[in-house]
Amino acid sequence: MSLFKLSREIIFIILEELDPHSLLRFCKTSRYIKDIVANYSTLLYRCELALSGLTDGSSISHPPRARLDPLLRHRRGWLALNWTTEDRLRIPTPTIVGVSGRFLYHASESSHNGSFQWSLHIYELRSYRMPLIDKLRYCRFNLPFEIRQVAIDPLQNLLVLAELYFPPQNGPIFACLHFLDMWTCQRHPHAENMRFQFQTDWWGTPPPGHRISVERVQIHGKSVGLSLRLEVEGGEGTTELVLVNWCTGRDQQQRFTGDLLSFDILSESCLMVLFHPDEDEDDDSGESATSTWERSSNGLYLHERGKRSPQIVIHHIPDGRRLRSPQVISYDLPESWKSISFLQLCPNSSLKPNVSPPSGTFFYSDPSRRATVILVEFPSHSTPPGCSKKMALVMKESFFQPPSFGDKTLSWEEWQDHCIVVHLPDEAHTFKAVGRKLVFLQGVREQNCVADSRSRLHVLDFNEYAAECLRCLAPRSSTRLWNGNWNTASQILRLSVSEFVRTSTTQVQDITWVDATEDAVVLYNEHEGQTIIRVLTFGGHSSIS
């Protein structure tokens, strides 16, 4: 018996059993099914979830019909870069400022009762993907140490602060992580120890021209990743990475060192490390790699060594049981990329698989389609044929699976079909990933303009249905011009068999750098000792046509 001979009520019951992506594929094969779906808000909402690269949240108090309009506004807002709400903050230029876990933070030194201390400010960011609240939360804490980096996990009420300690004499330099409750700034109740100290390989006071910084702190479940970088004039340097269990305060016995090295904790048992190995390194994993730097009485000196092509290495995170051999999978990048001058994993602010969204969330980026973005830059004099000076590799994070027992290496030819290689403008900078989107700035130098903070904002949307969503709004053109808060343009671009959408501001803006969340872009502009922060939130009622 043909499905189409059944009553619409029976077909509706069958369609309700399909997951969003199966339902969307079914709609694409039959106009009759598409018409049925369009008349039932429950089905239409699930179909629009799949089109938008989103997944359903946990808000049982709001039926699909109530979540459908926010979803469509959210998608259209990002597509046009047309925000609903703008929140502004003007502050003296802080030492550190950024976004983590749906919160904006900034910290700087201040005077209190005649003594100097550090003030940390934390602001909750608004979202139209959950029920509106009367008042956004704000906290201020005074701390006795200089805050070098901040990471926030609101699902665990966890605030991690990074500190650097420089000894008064020629002793080792330490990094310290503080594990705090984000609402009290006291020791987190699940942390056995309030802090963890990590002894670096660097000693004494850094010589002039040398700089030590905390590059990144990442929280995933019980694991916290910490990367530190020692950099000298000219951009050369070395990076150290350590993993810590914040509940026990113990090192997880995995440390890595490399000239160009970044990381991402994929899961409780899986760590991704991106690095540029030397020709004479025996360990393909990059673990405990020999540094190319040597300390003498008057500074650090670089010893040039041949380089192999960059590698992505997936490590197994030990669970306390001793392994008989390393468990790693290595993915080689192109052989012609040996001469890179910059290599970095771009942090993605959307939720990872097996992480629950905040209570009341209507919808959020589908973790199974979350993007891993690798940024690459070549010296101007040695850019490989067919490459741009700056490039991005985009792939699904789910492609990288935990290693099984033993190790394995895949050549670029074996896995390149899983990547989208994007050529970026030479002036591109400040990259942020969220879900399947890549947000970045392009510096613009205007004639007779002294300021160097003028930029265009770009959003690349790699959702597989983004081009289809744009065509629904502009069926006769691959480019759509929007007249909203900004003048922007959205365009469909093609790479091999893949399509993606680029939305850009057509006018330059005063932007120094940018952050991005699932709900907003956060723009920063430093000028004459002041920092203006603009939080542009998408998804509310919009008036654009």
Side-chain angles (χ1 to χ4, degrees):
M1 182 178 180
S2 171
L3 173 68
F4 301 107
K5 292 182 179 180
L6 298 175
S7 67
R8 293 172 70 95
E9 291 74 16
I10 297 298
I11 294 177
F12 170 76
I13 294 173
I14 295 172
L15 295 179
E16 272 201 316
E17 297 299 316
L18 298 179
D19 64 80
H21 288 277
S22 298
L23 180 61
L24 177 60
R25 287 192 293 267
F26 203 175
C27 287
K28 290 179 178 297
T29 62
S30 169
R31 182 177 296 274
Y32 180 65
I33 295 298
K34 185 176 181 181
D35 290 341
I36 293 177
V37 168
N39 284 283
Y40 290 94
S41 59
T42 303
L43 298 177
L44 183 58
Y45 169 70
R46 291 162 63 188
C47 197
E48 295 293 347
L49 279 173
L51 267 175
S52 305
L54 302 170
T55 191
D56 200 17
S58 57
S59 181
I60 58 176
S61 61
H62 286 69
R65 179 179 300 175
R67 286 179 265 174
L68 180 58
D69 283 344
L71 186 155
L72 297 177
R73 294 196 300 266
H74 178 85
R75 184 174 72 198
R76 188 182 177 99
W78 270 106
L79 191 61
L81 281 178
N82 191 67
W83 65 90
T84 300
T85 306
E86 176 175 349
D87 297 296
R88 284 192 176 223
L89 184 66
R90 181 189 291 267
I91 57 175
T93 297
T95 303
I96 183 172
V97 62
V99 170
S100 178
R102 302 183 355 263
F103 290 83
L104 170 73
Y105 63 84
H106 65 86
S108 55
E109 193 174 24
S110 62
S111 177
H112 181 71
N113 294 332
S115 61
F116 286 95
Q117 59 186 4
W118 286 80
S119 293
L120 173 64
H121 302 256
I122 301 176
Y123 306 80
E124 184 178 15
L125 299 177
R126 69 178 73 249
S127 172
Y128 294 103
R129 297 181 299 111
M130 56 181 60
L132 297 179
I133 57 178
D134 295 333
K135 186 176 180 180
L136 297 173
R137 290 170 288 184
Y138 164 74
C139 296
R140 174 178 174 173
F141 303 111
N142 294 322
L143 296 145
F145 57 86
E146 181 176 355
I147 302 168
R148 299 295 185 123
Q149 194 59 266
V150 177
I152 299 172
D153 182 350
L155 296 176
Q156 302 185 88
N157 290 330
L158 176 62
L159 170 65
V160 179
L161 303 179
E163 172 192 9
L164 286 177
Y165 173 72
F166 297 90
Q169 298 180 347
N170 192 29
I173 297 171
F174 282 87
C176 182
L177 293 176
H178 300 257
F179 308 123
L180 308 171
D181 184 293
M182 67 176 293
W183 303 117
T184 65
C185 211
Q186 301 299 313
R187 181 178 66 86
H188 194 284
H190 295 157
E192 293 181 14
N193 300 294
M194 186 173 178
R195 61 183 59 87
F196 166 81
Q197 281 195 329
F198 168 57
Q199 180 178 321
T200 73
D201 289 337
W202 311 316
W203 289 63
T205 302
H210 297 161
R211 175 175 175 267
I212 296 177
S213 62
V214 179
E215 274 204 327
R216 188 183 182 203
V217 176
Q218 181 191 6
I219 305 170
H220 190 292
K222 296 180 180 180
S223 296
V224 173
L226 167 68
S227 61
L228 308 166
R229 183 162 180 81
L230 170 62
E231 193 166 283
V232 301
E233 293 177 317
E236 299 288 351
T238 185
T239 301
E240 292 189 10
L241 164 64
V242 62
L243 285 185
V244 184
N245 183 315
W246 70 267
C247 292
T248 63
R250 298 189 183 95
D251 185 340
Q252 291 184 300
Q253 303 302 314
Q254 283 194 308
R255 299 189 179 190
F256 306 84
T257 303
D259 300 340
L260 296 173
L261 184 151
S262 58
F263 75 99
D264 188 23
I265 304 174
L266 301 182
S267 68
E268 291 278 6
S269 61
C270 197
L271 172 70
M272 173 185 287
V273 177
L274 173 69
F275 78 116
H276 194 193
D278 294 300
E279 288 284 10
D280 55 352
E281 285 179 11
D282 294 328
D283 182 7
D284 289 343
S285 70
E287 187 168 359
S288 302
T290 304
S291 173
T292 59
W293 298 86
E294 182 175 299
R295 176 176 286 280
S296 69
S297 59
N298 60 347
L300 290 173
Y301 291 90
L302 174 65
H303 293 270
E304 295 289 348
R305 295 190 291 183
K307 294 285 187 180
R308 302 203 301 265
S309 61
Q311 279 189 329
I312 304 168
V313 184
I314 309 300
H315 293 264
H316 174 77
I317 299 176
D319 57 3
R321 295 174 295 181
R322 185 177 180 82
L323 300 175
R324 288 179 290 167
S325 67
Q327 292 180 286
V328 299
I329 304 177
S330 302
Y331 299 84
D332 288 338
L333 296 181
E335 186 73 17
S336 61
W337 290 14
K338 289 182 178 181
S339 63
I340 56 169
S341 59
F342 178 83
L343 181 70
Q344 186 182 66
L345 276 166
C346 183
N348 194 319
S349 62
S350 66
L351 292 178
K352 288 182 174 290
N354 301 320
V355 176
S356 300
S359 177
T361 301
F362 298 157
F363 50 83
Y364 60 103
S365 294
D366 188 346
S368 68
R369 285 165 165 72
R370 194 172 186 269
T372 291
V373 180
I374 294 174
L375 304 171
V376 177
E377 184 174 346
F378 299 96
S380 300
H381 61 275
S382 58
T383 301
C387 293
S388 302
K389 181 182 178 181
K390 294 183 178 180
M391 303 180 69
L393 267 66
V394 183
M395 61 223 83
K396 285 185 180 180
E397 184 181 288
S398 58
F399 168 72
F400 299 100
Q401 296 298 314
S404 55
F405 189 75
D407 56 11
K408 180 180 180 181
T409 300
L410 278 72
S411 67
W412 171 247
E413 290 72 22
E414 291 179 282
W415 71 283
Q416 61 179 336
D417 292 341
H418 296 274
C419 297
I420 300 174
V421 181
V422 182
H423 297 265
L424 300 169
D426 289 354
E427 305 82 9
H429 64 97
T430 317
F431 299 86
K432 303 294 178 179
V434 52
R436 294 286 295 171
K437 299 180 182 72
L438 178 63
V439 180
F440 66 94
L441 300 177
Q442 180 183 2
V444 177
R445 290 190 176 272
E446 295 182 307
Q447 192 173 6
N448 302 323
C449 182
V450 178
D452 58 357
S453 62
R454 305 283 283 172
S455 300
R456 285 192 176 91
L457 176 66
H458 299 273
V459 177
L460 306 183
D461 192 340
F462 297 98
N463 170 29
E464 57 193 303
Y465 299 113
E468 180 178 337
C469 294
L470 181 61
R471 289 191 183 99
C472 291
L473 299 171
R476 298 182 180 180
S477 173
S478 62
T479 301
R480 169 95 181 199
L481 299 177
W482 310 91
N483 294 310
N485 298 307
W486 279 334
N487 291 328
T488 62
S490 298
Q491 184 177 11
I492 298 172
L493 302 176
R494 176 175 288 274
L495 284 174
S496 184
V497 297
S498 301
E499 288 184 329
F500 65 96
V501 170
R502 181 184 66 201
T503 301
S504 310
T505 56
T506 57
Q507 299 169 319
V508 295
Q509 310 291 328
D510 291 322
I511 311 171
T512 308
W513 75 97
V514 65
D515 268 316
T517 71
E518 287 205 55
D519 300 289
V521 291
V522 183
L523 309 178
Y524 308 87
N525 182 34
E526 289 187 354
H527 183 66
E528 297 181 348
Q530 296 282 309
T531 296
I532 300 172
I533 305 173
R534 302 171 62 194
V535 183
L536 313 179
T537 307
F538 307 110
H541 291 280
S542 177
S543 60
I544 69 169
S545 58

